[in-house]
Amino acid sequence: MNTKQPTDQTKPLKRSKSLLPRFAAIDHTTSHSTHKRSKSLLSSRPTDLPLEVWKSGISSYLGLRDICLSAATCKTLDLASKFCVEHNVKPVLVPEDATSLEHAIQVSEFLRKKRKQGLGAPQVDVLISPGTHPAQRLRYKRSTSTPLFTGALQITKPIQIAGSGREQTFIEANAGIRIGCCRKLTKIESIEKSYVLQGLTVLAGSTTAGKSSLLHGIEISNCTNAVFLEDVGVSHASGDGVHVSNSTEVTISQLHSTNNSGEGICFCNASVGTVLSCDVRENYLT
């Protein structure tokens, strides 16, 4: 009696060598049981669905994390997941794909290396849902429950980060967010994109893990690429709300900078920028 042999595309894979291990390594919340459960559920898919259905149909209902994790089940899903990554079909979602903004940036940087050259950049690299989200994953001392001082969230490569609106998306960044890079960017990085923050509010703080210092809400320093802040809020920073130094292509529009201990917006060290329709008030040095 002849039995139908599985085609090459439906043959289960042991594990994707490109997407799954690195995606799981970056995601500290992923467990081994998740991979087993994903494999057992998806390996039993119908055998008559072509690859195009998975790429343009079913994949549209899955998040980026689910697409990458499903790559371990069969060659069809492995090809579909690579297509989504190479063609920038989906942004990294917070908190669905990543638990913090720092985590989302790490995932986006890794997946960027998988992108095919010449396809251009996606509209948004990281998309943040409404609500309050941490800028960084909290780290604690082993002996006590005291959180460790981690400093500002560093954004060193051009990236586009979008929230759901200044009054809907809030980022808890007690030490602020620092945009800029001291090293020389590669050719692709320098011509590909700009630094973009839009549609979110940065909740800064005067103290972080027991240490008090002058910390700006958003610090833009040594940027050779253009920087755009649009519909962004900054409040309760121990320094300036937005501090710009050694950067000449900065555009700030619809900024809401209030209740900061320094200035609402500060340009220094030969910095040049454009400020449009901003609400800057109730700062100590305004």
Side-chain angles (χ1 to χ4, degrees):
M1 181 177 181
N2 294 330
T3 59
K4 184 178 180 180
Q5 296 296 327
T7 62
D8 185 57
Q9 284 193 341
T10 61
K11 184 179 179 181
L13 299 178
K14 292 182 179 180
R15 175 170 289 189
S16 171
K17 295 182 179 180
S18 57
L19 298 178
L20 176 61
R22 292 302 298 273
F23 196 93
I26 296 174
D27 187 353
H28 301 280
T29 63
T30 302
S31 63
H32 182 64
S33 60
T34 303
H35 306 323
K36 285 188 175 181
R37 182 164 59 253
S38 176
K39 182 175 180 178
S40 62
L41 290 175
L42 294 177
S43 60
S44 58
R45 70 167 183 82
T47 59
D48 56 347
L49 292 179
L51 177 61
E52 287 301 321
V53 173
W54 288 93
K55 289 196 300 185
S56 59
I58 297 177
S59 294
S60 62
Y61 294 95
L62 301 177
L64 181 61
R65 171 190 161 107
D66 294 331
I67 289 175
C68 292
L69 293 180
S70 66
T73 59
C74 64
K75 286 189 176 181
T76 297
L77 290 182
D78 186 50
L79 293 173
S81 63
K82 289 180 179 178
F83 175 86
C84 289
V85 171
E86 292 172 351
H87 292 74
N88 309 300
V89 174
K90 292 179 178 292
V92 181
L93 302 180
V94 178
E96 292 84 354
D97 298 327
T99 56
S100 66
L101 180 55
E102 177 187 38
H103 178 198
I105 292 173
Q106 291 173 345
V107 172
S108 178
E109 289 297 331
F110 169 73
L111 295 181
R112 181 185 300 176
K113 299 175 184 178
K114 302 292 182 180
R115 185 173 59 217
K116 284 187 175 180
Q117 300 297 331
L119 291 179
Q123 294 295 323
V124 177
D125 295 302
V126 176
L127 183 60
I128 310 173
S129 301
T132 302
H133 311 280
Q136 297 169 291
R137 185 172 62 91
L138 292 179
R139 299 168 177 84
Y140 298 89
K141 292 182 179 180
R142 292 185 178 181
S143 57
T144 66
S145 59
T146 303
L148 296 171
F149 179 78
T150 55
L153 171 62
Q154 304 282 346
I155 301 178
T156 59
K157 296 181 181 180
I159 190 170
Q160 298 187 3
I161 300 172
S164 301
R166 188 185 67 211
E167 297 181 353
Q168 299 184 53
T169 300
F170 301 90
I171 302 298
E172 290 183 333
N174 288 336
I177 296 176
R178 183 173 298 167
I179 301 174
C181 185
C182 295
R183 66 172 177 81
K184 184 178 180 180
L185 297 176
T186 64
K187 183 178 180 180
I188 295 178
E189 291 171 346
S190 61
I191 65 176
E192 192 174 55
K193 293 191 298 185
S194 306
Y195 297 88
V196 177
L197 281 180
Q198 63 181 26
L200 54 85
T201 292
V202 177
L203 302 177
S206 58
T207 60
T208 302
K211 296 189 178 183
S212 178
S213 60
L214 183 64
L215 298 171
H216 307 299
I218 299 177
E219 181 177 356
I220 303 170
S221 178
N222 300 311
C223 283
T224 56
N225 289 53
V227 180
F228 295 91
L229 302 182
E230 181 181 353
D231 189 30
V232 172
V234 186
S235 64
H236 299 93
S238 60
D240 300 327
V242 177
H243 184 88
V244 183
S245 63
N246 297 316
S247 303
T248 57
E249 294 186 58
V250 180
T251 302
I252 304 174
S253 62
Q254 302 178 44
L255 174 74
H256 187 76
S257 181
T258 61
N259 298 312
N260 300 293
S261 298
E263 299 184 37
I265 303 176
C266 176
F267 284 82
C268 63
N269 296 335
S271 295
V272 178
T274 302
V275 179
L276 302 170
S277 304
C278 294
D279 182 8
V280 180
R281 53 188 170 85
E282 298 179 8
N283 299 290
Y284 185 74
L285 297 177
T286 299

